[in-house]
Amino acid sequence: MTILSKGVLLEIVQPDPLSILKGVSTRYKYEDGKKTEEITGYVYDCVNTGTYDFVRVLVEGGKKPIITNEELVELQENGEHVFVEFENARIRPYYSTITKQIEDSIKADGVHIVKNN
C-alpha cells in the first residue's frame, strides 16, 4: 500500500477549509454496469474560498444530504451563498479512461453547513 492510496488530506492542498456549495447530486450503486435505486452517497460541488478551485467531494453513506439541490437553487436565486466545510476530506489520484489523464477523487467522512455571520 502506498501513501497515495491512503490519500492526502484536502487541507494540505487547500488550507482554507471553507467552500461555497454550488450543487448536490446523488450517487447510486451500480451492479453489473446497471444503476440501482440504492443511494451510496452524495456529491457536493464546491468552490474553495481561499484558492477558488472547483472540487467535487463525495460523502458516502445513505444519510440525507445536508441540503437538497432545490433548496440550494432557491437560496442562490435570492443571492445567498451556502458555505460548507468537510470532515476528514482526502484526495486520491486515479487514471481516468475518459479524459486519459490523472484526476483527483475526493472523499470526506462528512460535511456541514457553516453559518455566515
Side-chain angles (χ1 to χ4, degrees):
M1 179 179 293
T2 66
I3 292 174
L4 289 179
S5 69
K6 293 180 182 180
V8 175
L9 287 173
L10 183 61
E11 64 191 37
I12 292 172
V13 179
Q14 293 182 340
D16 185 349
L18 199 61
S19 292
I20 299 171
L21 185 60
K22 303 302 282 179
V24 181
S25 56
T26 306
R27 174 72 56 97
Y28 292 94
K29 180 178 181 178
Y30 282 78
E31 290 181 354
D32 299 322
K34 295 183 181 179
K35 182 174 137 182
T36 68
E37 293 300 313
E38 183 180 340
I39 295 172
T40 60
Y42 294 92
V43 177
Y44 295 88
D45 295 337
C46 303
V47 175
N48 182 268
T49 59
T51 63
Y52 302 107
D53 289 334
F54 174 81
V55 294
R56 302 188 86 194
V57 181
L58 171 63
V59 177
E60 294 181 311
K63 294 188 291 184
K64 292 186 178 188
I66 58 169
I67 187 170
T68 66
N69 216 40
E70 292 76 20
E71 293 168 329
L72 179 60
V73 167
E74 186 177 324
L75 290 170
Q76 290 170 336
E77 287 174 349
N78 291 327
E80 296 181 49
H81 292 296
V82 175
F83 295 93
V84 296
E85 286 185 358
F86 294 97
E87 301 162 17
N88 196 32
R90 294 188 168 274
I91 303 171
R92 290 187 179 102
Y94 73 97
Y95 180 76
S96 171
T97 56
I98 297 170
T99 65
K100 308 286 189 231
Q101 298 182 78
I102 301 295
E103 302 281 348
D104 293 330
S105 171
I106 306 173
K107 291 183 183 179
D109 292 338
V111 59
H112 62 272
I113 293 175
V114 177
K115 296 295 182 193
N116 188 10
N117 293 331

